[in-house]
Amino acid sequence: MSLLPRDVLAALEHVVADLQKVGEGLEPASLRGAVRHYIETPGKLLRPILLLTFSYSLDRRSLMDPRIIQAATIVELLHVVSLLQDDVMDKHDERRGIKTPRILYGDDRSIIASDWLIAESIKRAVKLGPEVVEYLADVAQRLSRGQALDLDGEREKAAELKTAPLIEATLVLPTILLGRREMIELARRLGRSLGVLYQYSDDMSDEGVERGAVNEYATETRSILAKMRSIVGEALAPFEKLIDSLVKKALEGSLTIARNFIS
């Protein structure tokens, strides 16, 4: 049985279909290949799943809103940007068991592909309004600071900025688009906590970071989620179920290596 409601799964199919169109006619072919590499070999789609499930819990009708589908596509495109740039900075030869774009097309084209995808994301965000554009620009700036801190060896400071801003965006964008402004601050806090939890879980599996940091953010994530439930009520249940699964995987050390978050 799927972890996600049927309507969320159907909306996710629309997002995947939208993603498949990105850069499909782009020339030259070498740039097209780099742009589409992670679109054609998708990961767990965690960010669209979070955005769609949270939107569904705030308003069951929201998944019929094309703005929500567009927002889910944008967060995944920005995630692809981060993968392309990470590959170059960390000199990854493989990801998910396959060669990275930097190996297939070169570092230069990987960076150019990330630029192209940022521009594509801006084009799409403009259609969602100036508030969304400004917010996503802030997210991108924080991600850049996180990457710089990581390069400087400031792991603890980087943890709050390298991954968390984009995960935060998956929860903040629905509150903006659906007019649930009373939820924005809690959405920010939960997204930040979940993002740091994800980063520390990744560090724990890759580099042996102390489990205490993971436990701390798991507790914080659950506490913020409980406050959110006091506002949303029983309708939050599908989102709670998803977050509970993610927290459990983080505590097991399997969050970032799980193959999917659907089942």
Side-chain angles (χ1 to χ4, degrees), residues 1-4 241 262-263:
M1 180 180 294
S2 175
L3 178 67
L4 304 177
K241 186 177 179 182
I262 294 177
S263 57

PDB file of all heavy atoms in Angstrom, residues 1-4 241 262-263:
ATOM      1  N   MET A   1       0.850  -1.200   0.000  1.00  0.00           N
ATOM      2  CA  MET A   1       0.000   0.000   0.000  1.00  0.00           C
ATOM      3  C   MET A   1       0.884   1.247   0.000  1.00  0.00           C
ATOM      4  O   MET A   1       1.880   1.300   0.712  1.00  0.00           O
ATOM      5  CB  MET A   1      -0.919   0.012   1.225  1.00  0.00           C
ATOM      6  CG  MET A   1      -1.850   1.236   1.293  1.00  0.00           C
ATOM      7  SD  MET A   1      -2.925   1.215   2.740  1.00  0.00           S
ATOM      8  CE  MET A   1      -3.927  -0.219   2.371  1.00  0.00           C
ATOM      9  N   SER A   2       0.524   2.245  -0.790  1.00  0.00           N
ATOM     10  CA  SER A   2       1.322   3.452  -0.895  1.00  0.00           C
ATOM     11  C   SER A   2       1.228   4.291   0.364  1.00  0.00           C
ATOM     12  O   SER A   2       0.184   4.361   1.021  1.00  0.00           O
ATOM     13  CB  SER A   2       0.863   4.280  -2.093  1.00  0.00           C
ATOM     14  OG  SER A   2       1.549   5.510  -2.133  1.00  0.00           O
ATOM     15  N   LEU A   3       2.338   4.939   0.673  1.00  0.00           N
ATOM     16  CA  LEU A   3       2.377   5.881   1.784  1.00  0.00           C
ATOM     17  C   LEU A   3       1.576   7.135   1.470  1.00  0.00           C
ATOM     18  O   LEU A   3       1.096   7.824   2.372  1.00  0.00           O
ATOM     19  CB  LEU A   3       3.844   6.246   2.062  1.00  0.00           C
ATOM     20  CG  LEU A   3       4.156   7.256   3.150  1.00  0.00           C
ATOM     21  CD1 LEU A   3       3.778   6.683   4.519  1.00  0.00           C
ATOM     22  CD2 LEU A   3       5.639   7.603   3.127  1.00  0.00           C
ATOM     23  N   LEU A   4       1.389   7.428   0.191  1.00  0.00           N
ATOM     24  CA  LEU A   4       0.761   8.671  -0.244  1.00  0.00           C
ATOM     25  C   LEU A   4      -0.670   8.459  -0.717  1.00  0.00           C
ATOM     26  O   LEU A   4      -0.985   7.422  -1.305  1.00  0.00           O
ATOM     27  CB  LEU A   4       1.570   9.284  -1.393  1.00  0.00           C
ATOM     28  CG  LEU A   4       3.052   9.540  -1.114  1.00  0.00           C
ATOM     29  CD1 LEU A   4       3.732  10.082  -2.356  1.00  0.00           C
ATOM     30  CD2 LEU A   4       3.235  10.490   0.054  1.00  0.00           C
ATOM     31  N   LYS A 241       1.878  11.410   8.237  1.00  0.00           N
ATOM     32  CA  LYS A 241       2.315  10.049   7.934  1.00  0.00           C
ATOM     33  C   LYS A 241       3.618  10.058   7.136  1.00  0.00           C
ATOM     34  O   LYS A 241       4.537   9.271   7.409  1.00  0.00           O
ATOM     35  CB  LYS A 241       1.216   9.327   7.148  1.00  0.00           C
ATOM     36  CG  LYS A 241       1.471   7.858   6.892  1.00  0.00           C
ATOM     37  CD  LYS A 241       0.277   7.237   6.163  1.00  0.00           C
ATOM     38  CE  LYS A 241       0.515   5.760   5.863  1.00  0.00           C
ATOM     39  NZ  LYS A 241      -0.640   5.177   5.113  1.00  0.00           N
ATOM     40  N   ILE A 262       7.537   6.562  -1.519  1.00  0.00           N
ATOM     41  CA  ILE A 262       6.134   6.355  -1.881  1.00  0.00           C
ATOM     42  C   ILE A 262       5.563   5.145  -1.186  1.00  0.00           C
ATOM     43  O   ILE A 262       4.417   5.150  -0.726  1.00  0.00           O
ATOM     44  CB  ILE A 262       5.995   6.242  -3.416  1.00  0.00           C
ATOM     45  CG1 ILE A 262       6.360   7.579  -4.069  1.00  0.00           C
ATOM     46  CG2 ILE A 262       4.579   5.847  -3.786  1.00  0.00           C
ATOM     47  CD1 ILE A 262       6.337   7.564  -5.577  1.00  0.00           C
ATOM     48  N   SER A 263       6.327   4.061  -1.085  1.00  0.00           N
ATOM     49  CA  SER A 263       5.804   2.846  -0.476  1.00  0.00           C
ATOM     50  C   SER A 263       6.574   2.499   0.785  1.00  0.00           C
ATOM     51  O   SER A 263       7.609   3.071   1.065  1.00  0.00           O
ATOM     52  CB  SER A 263       5.897   1.689  -1.465  1.00  0.00           C
ATOM     53  OG  SER A 263       7.229   1.497  -1.890  1.00  0.00           O
TER      54      SER A 263
END
